[in-house]
Amino acid sequence: MSNPTVSGYDPIPSLGKRSTVTVRVDMPAAGQVGALAVPVVSGEDPPDELAVGAEALAAAGFTGARGQTLVLPHPDGVVRVAVGLGPPGVIDTTLVRDVVAEFARAVPHHLTLAVELPPDDAQIGAAEFAQAATEGVMLARWRFQLGAGKDDRTLDGLVLVATSEQLESAREGARRGKTIADAYNIGRDLANCPAASLTAARMADVAVQVAPDAGLEVEVFDKDQLIEMSCGGILGVNMGSAEPPRLIRIRYAPGSPTGRLALIGKGIMYDSGGISLKPSDESHAQMKNDMTGAAAILATMTALKDLGCTTAVTAYLCCTDNMPSGTAMKLGDVLTMRNGKTVEVLNTDAEGRLVMADGLAMATEEPVDALVDVATLTGACLRTFGVEIAGLMGNNADLIGQLKSAGDTVDEPVWELPLYRPYRRQLDSAIADLTNMGGVNAGSITAALFLEEFVDGHPWAHIDIAGTAQLPAPRTWRNKGATGFGTKLLLELATTFRPPATSPEPTAS
């Protein structure tokens, strides 16, 4: 069972819990913390707080390289952790988040940690530092665990040591950092949850349970309603599953909104490939994470109110299993989607775009300034970008630019691929409006071109997180396993969103 004192969220069985981690900004009294981070710049004398000189650090192999750590005992009983900042240069939120996360990992048995804020004349402000440090510690210490342990706690508290002049700014930064980390860890918990426990119906229960505290309105559409709504994509993919599908619509409606944004998430709770069965390998074993797009969007929605977001955001989570059975969708079947377009199924393992098509079509039926979909969509994107960069495509340069900027700010990078429309002919069908599968090449691009058929000309961007949804090993604040990638990216987009200008399409297209 996921530990709510660390992750902030426990989908099995207790829903909707925030973390009980205490984040304080003050001067801790003796005995209140177990370990203190002490930053060291490569090539410069270490701070007096470490009580050792540069020669002693070098003798222990510590050079101050970025992210390097060295744990040192101290006479007062509080462990000092030398944390390398690298050579002198710009100190930004990405650096702070990364090195503070390495500090948290270096002392895994200490449950209360302390980080000292830099002086007021540093390159980074107190609020920005406090937010990044809080994110770094809470994200690095998150764990997803099943079953009861003798003591599953991995973090009780974080103290940010600040001067009296820094207190107000640092407290606000820490509050924002905790809100973002709590939300991100909700996405992680959901993405790591076994498919047998987190079904489409249970995903809807999660949304309903978190809604009141987050200021959200939730509508859940079941199988009978989806039939009435002509959501042929979700229904077609669901045909082989014993678990019923759900389309979950979540609304965040601030007073006097400054923009209207729709988020559409792929929620394939488990993807066997259907009749086009996946091989029995490691990637198949990871397919409980094929709902990471929906998980990241649900997690995002839980934090909008606390972050003071002024954008009205509506989410569409398209949730079902994709399973093989005697009733499963077959190759050659033709589905009628929500917007009336027909799709010939050439590969049942190209199912994510089918469920997303219904969600995109629904999103266009209401006034909206932009649509953004997030999906673990194509192995081609994993092959192109690996596990640390998500693919990005879209039809509006302004919206693409906002997403790139958001990704750079929060260190969830996206990289644009061309929406090259001559490839659209690969989706031509002799018996339907289009097929669900292009040729053997440019799979990420043809998948995006398929989705564009359902946006009705609205400003739209597609984020392919097939690579970033799973990490083989921890790195800084990122943990091994299903990552929940996208929550920080979408929170930054939503809280800074402006309706896209009528602009030319990205030059790459």
mmCIF file of all heavy atoms in Angstrom, residues 130-149:
data_model
loop_
_atom_site.group_PDB
_atom_site.id
_atom_site.type_symbol
_atom_site.label_atom_id
_atom_site.label_comp_id
_atom_site.label_asym_id
_atom_site.label_seq_id
_atom_site.Cartn_x
_atom_site.Cartn_y
_atom_site.Cartn_z
ATOM 1 N N ALA A 130 12.661 28.096 -1.994
ATOM 2 C CA ALA A 130 11.871 27.281 -1.076
ATOM 3 C C ALA A 130 10.957 26.323 -1.832
ATOM 4 O O ALA A 130 10.791 25.156 -1.443
ATOM 5 C CB ALA A 130 11.050 28.187 -0.160
ATOM 6 N N GLN A 131 10.364 26.789 -2.919
ATOM 7 C CA GLN A 131 9.490 25.919 -3.701
ATOM 8 C C GLN A 131 10.277 24.767 -4.307
ATOM 9 O O GLN A 131 9.874 23.603 -4.204
ATOM 10 C CB GLN A 131 8.801 26.706 -4.812
ATOM 11 C CG GLN A 131 7.937 25.831 -5.715
ATOM 12 C CD GLN A 131 7.207 26.606 -6.789
ATOM 13 O OE1 GLN A 131 6.857 27.771 -6.603
ATOM 14 N NE2 GLN A 131 6.971 25.974 -7.932
ATOM 15 N N ALA A 132 11.409 25.068 -4.925
ATOM 16 C CA ALA A 132 12.201 24.025 -5.579
ATOM 17 C C ALA A 132 12.755 23.033 -4.558
ATOM 18 O O ALA A 132 12.783 21.821 -4.802
ATOM 19 C CB ALA A 132 13.338 24.660 -6.376
ATOM 20 N N ALA A 133 13.204 23.535 -3.406
ATOM 21 C CA ALA A 133 13.749 22.640 -2.383
ATOM 22 C C ALA A 133 12.675 21.718 -1.828
ATOM 23 O O ALA A 133 12.913 20.526 -1.603
ATOM 24 C CB ALA A 133 14.379 23.467 -1.262
ATOM 25 N N THR A 134 11.483 22.251 -1.599
ATOM 26 C CA THR A 134 10.383 21.427 -1.094
ATOM 27 C C THR A 134 10.022 20.343 -2.101
ATOM 28 O O THR A 134 9.821 19.173 -1.733
ATOM 29 C CB THR A 134 9.162 22.306 -0.792
ATOM 30 O OG1 THR A 134 9.532 23.309 0.160
ATOM 31 C CG2 THR A 134 8.022 21.481 -0.235
ATOM 32 N N GLU A 135 9.915 20.724 -3.371
ATOM 33 C CA GLU A 135 9.632 19.728 -4.408
ATOM 34 C C GLU A 135 10.715 18.657 -4.417
ATOM 35 O O GLU A 135 10.424 17.454 -4.484
ATOM 36 C CB GLU A 135 9.558 20.400 -5.778
ATOM 37 C CG GLU A 135 8.346 21.279 -5.994
ATOM 38 C CD GLU A 135 8.376 21.934 -7.363
ATOM 39 O OE1 GLU A 135 9.035 21.402 -8.271
ATOM 40 O OE2 GLU A 135 7.733 22.989 -7.533
ATOM 41 N N GLY A 136 11.982 19.079 -4.377
ATOM 42 C CA GLY A 136 13.082 18.128 -4.477
ATOM 43 C C GLY A 136 13.051 17.084 -3.381
ATOM 44 O O GLY A 136 13.206 15.875 -3.638
ATOM 45 N N VAL A 137 12.837 17.514 -2.143
ATOM 46 C CA VAL A 137 12.818 16.578 -1.020
ATOM 47 C C VAL A 137 11.609 15.663 -1.087
ATOM 48 O O VAL A 137 11.720 14.434 -0.986
ATOM 49 C CB VAL A 137 12.846 17.344 0.315
ATOM 50 C CG1 VAL A 137 12.513 16.409 1.478
ATOM 51 C CG2 VAL A 137 14.214 17.965 0.537
ATOM 52 N N MET A 138 10.416 16.238 -1.278
ATOM 53 C CA MET A 138 9.206 15.422 -1.229
ATOM 54 C C MET A 138 9.101 14.463 -2.405
ATOM 55 O O MET A 138 8.610 13.332 -2.264
ATOM 56 C CB MET A 138 7.977 16.329 -1.170
ATOM 57 C CG MET A 138 7.867 17.097 0.136
ATOM 58 S SD MET A 138 6.295 17.970 0.308
ATOM 59 C CE MET A 138 5.147 16.594 0.398
ATOM 60 N N LEU A 139 9.568 14.873 -3.570
ATOM 61 C CA LEU A 139 9.508 13.984 -4.722
ATOM 62 C C LEU A 139 10.548 12.878 -4.628
ATOM 63 O O LEU A 139 10.295 11.729 -4.998
ATOM 64 C CB LEU A 139 9.695 14.791 -6.012
ATOM 65 C CG LEU A 139 8.565 15.775 -6.335
ATOM 66 C CD1 LEU A 139 8.930 16.640 -7.535
ATOM 67 C CD2 LEU A 139 7.252 15.051 -6.580
ATOM 68 N N ALA A 140 11.734 13.187 -4.115
ATOM 69 C CA ALA A 140 12.778 12.168 -3.998
ATOM 70 C C ALA A 140 12.428 11.125 -2.946
ATOM 71 O O ALA A 140 12.788 9.957 -3.076
ATOM 72 C CB ALA A 140 14.114 12.824 -3.659
ATOM 73 N N ARG A 141 11.702 11.523 -1.902
ATOM 74 C CA ARG A 141 11.392 10.602 -0.813
ATOM 75 C C ARG A 141 10.101 9.811 -1.033
ATOM 76 O O ARG A 141 9.745 8.976 -0.204
ATOM 77 C CB ARG A 141 11.303 11.379 0.501
ATOM 78 C CG ARG A 141 12.661 11.737 1.102
ATOM 79 C CD ARG A 141 13.454 10.483 1.467
ATOM 80 N NE ARG A 141 14.709 10.794 2.112
ATOM 81 C CZ ARG A 141 14.859 10.923 3.432
ATOM 82 N NH1 ARG A 141 13.822 10.771 4.239
ATOM 83 N NH2 ARG A 141 16.040 11.201 3.932
ATOM 84 N N TRP A 142 9.380 10.072 -2.115
ATOM 85 C CA TRP A 142 8.139 9.341 -2.384
ATOM 86 C C TRP A 142 8.424 7.870 -2.639
ATOM 87 O O TRP A 142 9.437 7.496 -3.241
ATOM 88 C CB TRP A 142 7.441 9.943 -3.603
ATOM 89 C CG TRP A 142 6.327 9.108 -4.156
ATOM 90 C CD1 TRP A 142 5.014 9.130 -3.790
ATOM 91 C CD2 TRP A 142 6.431 8.097 -5.180
ATOM 92 N NE1 TRP A 142 4.287 8.218 -4.514
ATOM 93 C CE2 TRP A 142 5.136 7.568 -5.365
ATOM 94 C CE3 TRP A 142 7.485 7.597 -5.931
ATOM 95 C CZ2 TRP A 142 4.872 6.562 -6.297
ATOM 96 C CZ3 TRP A 142 7.231 6.588 -6.847
ATOM 97 C CH2 TRP A 142 5.940 6.088 -7.028
ATOM 98 N N ARG A 143 7.537 7.008 -2.148
ATOM 99 C CA ARG A 143 7.601 5.582 -2.452
ATOM 100 C C ARG A 143 6.185 5.063 -2.695
ATOM 101 O O ARG A 143 5.242 5.463 -2.017
ATOM 102 C CB ARG A 143 8.214 4.793 -1.291
ATOM 103 C CG ARG A 143 9.649 5.143 -0.975
ATOM 104 C CD ARG A 143 10.609 4.703 -2.083
ATOM 105 N NE ARG A 143 11.980 5.004 -1.703
ATOM 106 C CZ ARG A 143 12.582 6.178 -1.909
ATOM 107 N NH1 ARG A 143 11.907 7.173 -2.473
ATOM 108 N NH2 ARG A 143 13.822 6.366 -1.554
ATOM 109 N N PHE A 144 6.052 4.140 -3.630
ATOM 110 C CA PHE A 144 4.797 3.414 -3.802
ATOM 111 C C PHE A 144 5.015 2.018 -3.261
ATOM 112 O O PHE A 144 5.923 1.301 -3.700
ATOM 113 C CB PHE A 144 4.391 3.343 -5.268
ATOM 114 C CG PHE A 144 3.105 2.587 -5.485
ATOM 115 C CD1 PHE A 144 1.893 3.202 -5.253
ATOM 116 C CD2 PHE A 144 3.113 1.263 -5.893
ATOM 117 C CE1 PHE A 144 0.699 2.519 -5.419
ATOM 118 C CE2 PHE A 144 1.934 0.569 -6.074
ATOM 119 C CZ PHE A 144 0.718 1.202 -5.841
ATOM 120 N N GLN A 145 4.213 1.629 -2.284
ATOM 121 C CA GLN A 145 4.394 0.338 -1.640
ATOM 122 C C GLN A 145 3.050 -0.355 -1.490
ATOM 123 O O GLN A 145 2.054 0.291 -1.173
ATOM 124 C CB GLN A 145 5.019 0.524 -0.251
ATOM 125 C CG GLN A 145 6.368 1.229 -0.284
ATOM 126 C CD GLN A 145 6.859 1.581 1.109
ATOM 127 O OE1 GLN A 145 6.547 0.897 2.068
ATOM 128 N NE2 GLN A 145 7.618 2.658 1.215
ATOM 129 N N LEU A 146 3.045 -1.668 -1.691
ATOM 130 C CA LEU A 146 1.854 -2.484 -1.477
ATOM 131 C C LEU A 146 2.078 -3.356 -0.258
ATOM 132 O O LEU A 146 3.148 -3.948 -0.094
ATOM 133 C CB LEU A 146 1.570 -3.360 -2.699
ATOM 134 C CG LEU A 146 1.076 -2.634 -3.945
ATOM 135 C CD1 LEU A 146 1.001 -3.605 -5.119
ATOM 136 C CD2 LEU A 146 -0.285 -2.014 -3.701
ATOM 137 N N GLY A 147 1.090 -3.421 0.589
ATOM 138 C CA GLY A 147 1.202 -4.226 1.794
ATOM 139 C C GLY A 147 1.647 -3.383 2.973
ATOM 140 O O GLY A 147 2.233 -2.313 2.823
ATOM 141 N N ALA A 148 1.369 -3.850 4.140
ATOM 142 C CA ALA A 148 1.692 -3.118 5.358
ATOM 143 C C ALA A 148 3.115 -3.430 5.790
ATOM 144 O O ALA A 148 3.501 -4.586 5.932
ATOM 145 C CB ALA A 148 0.710 -3.487 6.467
ATOM 146 N N GLY A 149 3.909 -2.410 6.025
ATOM 147 C CA GLY A 149 5.262 -2.579 6.524
ATOM 148 C C GLY A 149 5.324 -2.228 7.997
ATOM 149 O O GLY A 149 4.409 -1.620 8.553
#
